[in-house]
Amino acid sequence: MDKAPQVTLHTTAHFFLEGLNEIGIEYLFCNFGTDYAPLIEEMARWRAEGRKFPKTLLCPHENTAVQMAIGYAMATGRGQAVMVHVDAGTANAAMGLHDACRSRVPLILFAGKAPYTVRGELPGSRDTYVHFIQEPFDQGGIVRNYVKWEWTLPSGVITKEVLRRAHSVAHSDPRGPVYLMLPRETLAQTWDAAAVRSFPEARYGTAGAGAAPAEAVAAIVERLLTARHPILITSYAGRNPRAPGLIEELARAAGIRVFEFNPLHLNIARTSPCYGGQAPGRHVAEADAGLLVDVDVPWIPSDTRENPQSWWAHIDVDPVKERSPIWGFPSNLRLPGDSTIVLAQVIEALNAKATPAFREAAARRFEAITREHNERRAETAKLAANKGERGAVNAHYLCAEIAKAIGEDDILVNESIRNAALVYRQISRTRPGTALGCSGGALGYSNGMALGARLARPEATVVQVVGDGSFYFGNPSSAYAVSRQYGLPVFTVVLDNSGWSAVKESTLRMYPEGAAKAVDEFGARLAPNPDFGKICEAAGGYGEMLVDPSAVPEAIQRCLAQVRAGRPALLHAKIPVL
């Protein structure tokens, strides 16, 4: 007689872990709930059997989890996974998803769903109060504005196909987050292993941006060959480590001023003679040829004079800004593509067509740009020479001292908002991957992002510079708990001006002589005299209040010594009140 077919049954949770391994997920940043019982059980079984699956990092708040995934992906280019609890966890994660969306960072957000069976009809059926109140009509709608793709896993038999689909969509250009909901009953289903297929990357993988058409490259080169005042503005080209070198090469060859507006990455060494800072200002109006390279907002139109005769080419993974209902910046030539590939094409074509007259004109521009750069550096040093007063430390001086104390490969995570340009100006990073920001408007990202960067680059010291208002948003008690639990020490510097200066400045821009100014009330002043260092200390870290400018160098060294010894450290610096 024929033997009966062999059946090997496993739960969907088992195939889910196999699928995570197959798509290359390294870390799960988790805030579990009752929805994950089948997965938690399967993880325990795998651990007992010595089987490998992505490392879980428990995060007391979902914002920490999402921002850690963002920081890790920004530092490595590899998106990770976040697990949150049904609609409640999704709502807490939504702000981080906004940042991931606007910064085009790949990640997979998993959320459970309240069980749909009520009376024990299936394994995983409702068995507690919250299962009856955590089921909205449209859970995916909470984050649909911020994801490229969202779905509910309908059956365990297609678990691996769905995971591959989620991963490929997240990592295809333009990159971004995706959202997958996991019903508890579905996780608890059992399936024959023979019925659950794998979907290899070679056949079901990502799609990346590519090169530009030859005629488009030729059009850019022709403009550069005749330009008298060319400029380049970028924000996130540096997500690819090759980009800063290519931008530098092109800028030197053609005598181009390079500006970073709201930089998300380091896009050119900020000590480069071609680096013009973060405010293109008058150069926008003076430009006869301009390159927008991976940038969402190159300038603020309401306070920047534009020249209708300027010719602009926009090289970008997303030149039409498809997720923005209205945009509003000029571009005569829009090139969707990988900026590193396109810039290399432009450099090759420019070198082939460059005449002696062009090279001479570019050299003269380079000399002028270098003089401007040196003048700007001298002004930067002058701004840092004033140490400030007791209780009002000069942030320029503080940041200049931080720059002296850290190495070239250390990472700056900047969320100082209205002081962001100041921080970048004084802490000049020069190497790819050593400066991280955010394109989103959901504040509170740097606490978790710094942890994710440290996880990705354990050999680097990570310096987080954050305003007091954003520090509150970053769920610091959660972040420091994670830092201590998983050995991820970060040096945090809080620039405390006692409130939200962005709110005050916005009001004054609209109503410079208005009633709010008359009574000096802008709805921006926060609780007086907190001691943020105590939050760090509560998790076993080191905290220090800085009020005396003369103590700045020693305070920085004390904090860095703690970080290098394995403890998170926070320097709470009192700067002039807003």
Side-chain angles (χ1 to χ4, degrees):
M1 296 179 60
D2 293 337
K3 291 184 178 180
Q6 297 298 307
V7 175
T8 303
L9 294 177
H10 293 297
T11 65
T12 298
H14 172 93
F15 297 117
F16 184 85
L17 292 179
E18 284 190 344
L20 291 178
N21 285 339
E22 291 177 9
I23 63 176
I25 296 297
E26 301 158 84
Y27 291 98
L28 300 172
F29 302 95
C30 300
N31 190 287
F32 289 129
T34 58
D35 39 349
Y36 284 107
L39 189 60
I40 292 169
E41 176 71 8
E42 194 64 32
M43 287 177 172
R45 183 177 293 111
W46 278 42
R47 289 189 186 98
E49 296 173 358
R51 302 186 63 171
K52 300 294 185 182
F53 60 93
K55 182 176 180 180
T56 59
L57 283 80
L58 300 182
C59 301
H61 195 280
E62 293 86 351
N63 188 50
T64 306
V66 176
Q67 300 296 354
M68 283 188 73
I70 291 173
Y72 190 92
M74 289 180 70
T76 64
R78 302 189 300 274
Q80 301 302 308
V82 177
M83 292 187 160
V84 300
H85 178 45
V86 294
D87 61 338
T90 301
N92 272 347
M95 295 298 279
L97 264 286
H98 163 91
D99 287 336
C101 170
R102 293 305 184 188
S103 300
R104 297 179 185 81
V105 174
L107 66 84
I108 304 175
L109 178 65
F110 296 113
K113 290 198 73 175
Y116 52 82
T117 54
V118 177
R119 296 175 176 84
E121 296 90 339
L122 294 172
S125 186
R126 296 182 182 184
D127 59 13
T128 188
Y129 168 78
V130 294
H131 292 163
F132 291 86
I133 62 165
Q134 290 182 330
E135 185 182 24
F137 290 112
D138 184 9
Q139 182 173 313
I142 299 171
V143 295
R144 192 167 296 127
N145 280 318
Y146 309 130
V147 297
K148 295 179 65 178
W149 173 95
E150 60 95 2
W151 208 35
T152 300
L153 181 64
S155 169
V157 75
I158 60 170
T159 299
K160 293 185 179 182
E161 182 173 13
V162 173
L163 288 175
R164 174 60 69 188
R165 174 66 174 162
H167 186 270
S168 294
V169 171
H171 284 80
S172 293
D173 287 324
R175 292 180 162 196
V178 298
Y179 181 61
L180 180 62
M181 291 165 281
L182 307 169
R184 195 163 81 154
E185 293 95 333
T186 303
L187 287 174
Q189 289 173 351
T190 56
W191 294 92
D192 180 6
V196 182
R197 290 179 51 199
S198 293
F199 290 79
E201 183 177 10
R203 291 177 63 85
Y204 301 93
T206 62
E215 59 271 21
V217 173
I220 293 172
V221 169
E222 287 303 317
R223 292 288 178 168
L224 292 178
L225 288 171
T226 58
R228 297 168 61 91
H229 194 102
I231 67 173
L232 185 154
I233 305 173
T234 184
S235 172
Y236 53 88
R239 71 190 186 284
N240 187 321
R242 292 181 57 225
L246 291 167
I247 290 174
E248 172 91 20
E249 183 179 354
L250 178 61
R252 285 178 177 267
I256 300 174
R257 290 172 176 82
V258 177
F259 299 93
E260 294 179 305
F261 196 84
N262 190 40
L264 180 59
H265 296 269
L266 182 137
N267 304 285
I268 185 172
R270 289 165 186 159
T271 56
S272 166
C274 297
Y275 178 60
Q278 296 179 69
R282 64 179 175 83
H283 295 285
V284 173
E286 295 174 358
D288 51 1
L291 299 180
L292 304 179
V293 180
D294 287 332
V295 60
D296 287 328
V297 181
W299 59 80
I300 304 301
S302 62
D303 61 17
T304 303
R305 188 168 63 88
E306 300 177 14
N307 179 359
Q309 303 306 315
S310 299
W311 187 89
W312 293 95
H314 194 162
I315 303 165
D316 202 310
V317 71
D318 176 22
V320 298
K321 309 304 169 189
E322 60 187 33
R323 299 189 71 89
S324 296
I326 191 76
W327 192 54
F329 294 93
S331 51
N332 302 80
L333 182 63
R334 288 161 290 281
L335 293 177
D338 182 328
S339 61
T340 60
I341 297 174
V342 179
L343 288 171
Q345 289 178 281
V346 171
I347 292 168
E348 181 180 11
L350 182 67
N351 288 336
K353 300 198 72 173
T355 63
F358 165 76
R359 294 187 186 279
E360 182 179 348
R364 287 196 300 269
R365 284 196 298 273
F366 179 75
E367 291 175 2
I369 294 169
T370 301
R371 285 194 298 272
E372 292 175 11
H373 178 81
N374 290 338
E375 290 169 0
R376 187 173 177 277
R377 293 192 69 179
E379 182 185 4
T380 299
K382 185 177 180 180
L383 290 168
N386 174 19
K387 296 182 180 181
E389 304 173 355
R390 184 173 182 82
V393 177
N394 179 12
H396 279 280
Y397 168 62
L398 172 59
C399 290
E401 291 298 313
I402 293 171
K404 295 176 186 177
I406 63 176
E408 287 188 312
D409 291 318
D410 292 334
I411 299 172
L412 170 67
V413 178
N414 186 359
E415 193 187 10
S416 50
I417 310 304
R418 301 308 297 173
N419 284 308
L422 177 160
V423 172
Y424 282 135
R425 185 168 189 175
Q426 295 292 347
I427 308 178
S428 289
R429 303 283 78 201
T430 61
R431 297 186 178 179
T434 59
L436 300 178
C438 180
S439 291
L443 301 185
Y445 56 82
S446 62
N447 291 6
M449 186 185 292
L451 293 174
R454 175 70 195 220
L455 181 65
R457 294 267 310 280
E459 78 286 355
T461 296
V462 178
V463 181
Q464 171 201 7
V465 183
V466 60
D468 56 312
S470 294
F471 184 75
Y472 282 114
F473 288 134
N475 309 101
S477 58
S478 169
Y480 284 115
V482 172
S483 173
R484 194 64 171 157
Q485 181 173 359
Y486 296 105
L488 300 171
V490 167
F491 176 28
T492 298
V493 181
V494 180
L495 301 180
D496 181 5
N497 61 4
S498 300
W500 296 314
S501 60
V503 176
K504 177 179 178 179
E505 291 172 14
S506 175
T507 306
L508 288 173
R509 284 196 301 272
M510 288 191 68
Y511 308 104
E513 300 300 330
K517 181 181 180 182
V519 298
D520 192 27
E521 178 51 63
F522 300 94
R525 189 68 56 84
L526 297 175
N529 301 321
D531 188 345
F532 295 126
K534 299 299 183 186
I535 303 175
C536 186
E537 290 175 1
Y542 174 81
E544 182 169 341
M545 178 75 74
L546 178 65
V547 296
D548 185 355
S550 66
V552 165
E554 294 79 8
I556 292 170
Q557 290 301 330
R558 284 191 292 270
C559 289
L560 286 173
Q562 293 293 325
V563 170
R564 289 161 184 160
R567 295 176 71 196
L570 184 148
L571 184 61
H572 182 170
K574 301 292 286 186
I575 65 174
V577 173
L578 61 89

